[in-house]
């Protein structure tokens, strides 16, 4: 069965990349137009539709999605969304399913140029681009970002593993970025999130893509920033990693 799925993944991957590429090309000018005509909210609306479109492109690979959230999340309080990281498709999942909370991402600076739609959104969508090799740039940028999301009641999305897990197994969480956000947005709620199975889309690399994958996004109980950072970090990591399924 796995061999058959691998063979079928080639033609389906071609179809997926055709529509995925077309989506990115089309939404580049649409984002510009949305920002010019509607400002911040206009741009955000276009980006929401773009993220939904990216998820719809994954249907060509037979992908399905589940969103689980049994908690009432406030929309008038900033959030620090902390998630494990398995593939680039974690981003449109979080963006779409948690769109009411206006998620803003922490991204590496290299992604700020060269990718249609995605680079435009990172530069103009009030996200933060950091140079992970340069603390003199990244630490002030994260501090400013924490204050920004606190002031605007937005959500900061951070992947503390740093790099994507290639097999679904969680990597050790790096504490620095989270501690900076805790300090600069102390009124925020921490929202642990677990993503499952998105790594299976890229188990063979970028081509061919995995097919028939069921991706899940599970929201855990929010946590207040009212304890020592080390205690918070341990609690967050436990909640996220215990929900990871193979």
């Amino acid at each position: 069965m796995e061999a058959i799925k691998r063979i079928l993944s080639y033609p389906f991957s071609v179809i997926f990349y055709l529509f995925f590429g077309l989506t990115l090309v089309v939404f580049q000018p649409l984002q510009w137009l949305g920002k010019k005509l509607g400002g911040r909210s206009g741009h955000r609306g276009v980006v929401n539709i773009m993220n939904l479109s990216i998820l719809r492109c994954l249907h060509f690979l037979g992908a399905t999605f589940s969103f689980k959230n049994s908690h009432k999340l406030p929309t008038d309080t900033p959030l620090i969304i902390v998630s494990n990281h398995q593939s680039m498709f974690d981003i449109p999942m979080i963006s779409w399913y948690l769109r009411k909370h206006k998620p803003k991402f922490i991204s590496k600076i290299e992604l700020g140029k060269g990718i249609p739609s995605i680079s435009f959104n990172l530069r103009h969508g009030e996200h933060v681009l950091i140079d992970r090799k340069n603390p003199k740039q990244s630490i002030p940028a994260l501090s400013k970002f924490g204050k920004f999301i606190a002031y605007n009641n937005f959500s900061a999305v951070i992947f503390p593993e740093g790099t994507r897990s290639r097999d679904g197994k969680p990597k050790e969480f790096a504490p620095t970025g989270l501690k900076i956000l805790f300090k600069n947005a102390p009124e925020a709620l921490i929202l642990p999130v677990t993503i499952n199975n998105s790594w299976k889309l890229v188990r063979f690399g970028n081509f061919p893509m995995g097919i028939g994958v069921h991706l899940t996004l599970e929201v855990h109980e929010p946590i207040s920033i009212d304890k020592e950072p080390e205690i918070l970090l341990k609690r967050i990591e436990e909640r996220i990693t215990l929900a990871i399924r193979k």
Side-chain angles (χ1 to χ4, degrees), residues 80-198:
I80 298 173
I81 300 170
V82 188
S83 176
N84 61 317
H85 197 19
Q86 296 187 346
S87 80
M88 67 177 180
F89 300 104
D90 303 340
I91 295 168
M93 285 184 69
I94 292 172
S95 297
W96 174 249
Y97 287 110
L98 294 173
R99 63 192 179 278
K100 290 182 180 179
H101 305 280
K102 303 177 180 67
K104 306 296 178 182
F105 288 82
I106 298 169
S107 177
K108 57 185 180 181
I109 200 167
E110 293 86 352
L111 297 180
K113 55 184 178 180
I115 309 172
S117 282
I118 293 173
S119 295
F120 185 94
N121 181 35
L122 288 174
R123 293 195 313 273
H124 300 282
E126 299 174 308
H127 309 279
V128 62
L129 296 167
I130 62 170
D131 184 349
R132 292 186 292 186
K133 298 178 182 178
N134 183 7
K136 290 183 178 180
Q137 183 272 342
S138 60
I139 292 176
L142 285 173
S143 298
K144 183 178 179 181
F145 183 59
K147 292 182 175 72
F148 170 77
I149 66 113
Y151 179 80
N152 290 281
N153 286 330
F154 289 166
S155 299
V157 183
I158 183 169
F159 300 109
E161 290 171 290
T163 57
R164 304 167 194 162
S165 170
R166 301 296 182 183
D167 56 5
K169 295 179 182 178
K171 299 177 180 292
E172 184 178 355
F173 282 18
T176 304
L178 282 168
K179 287 182 177 180
I180 293 172
L181 292 178
F182 295 165
K183 181 179 179 181
N184 290 278
E187 61 271 75
L189 283 176
I190 304 165
L191 190 65
V193 166
T194 300
I195 290 173
N196 274 302
N197 296 329
S198 75

Side-chain angles (χ1 to χ4, degrees), residues 30-58:
L30 289 180
Q31 284 188 70
W32 180 87
L33 190 62
K35 188 172 180 65
K36 288 293 182 182
L37 298 180
R40 170 189 281 175
S41 61
H43 180 247
R44 184 164 58 243
V46 173
V47 170
N48 285 340
I49 298 171
M50 180 184 74
N51 283 305
L52 175 61
S53 299
I54 291 172
L55 297 181
R56 291 289 180 259
C57 288
L58 289 170

Side-chain angles (χ1 to χ4, degrees), residues 5-18:
K5 288 178 69 174
R6 180 72 180 270
I7 294 170
L8 290 174
S9 67
Y10 283 92
F12 285 113
S13 295
V14 171
I15 297 170
F16 161 76
Y17 275 116
L18 176 64

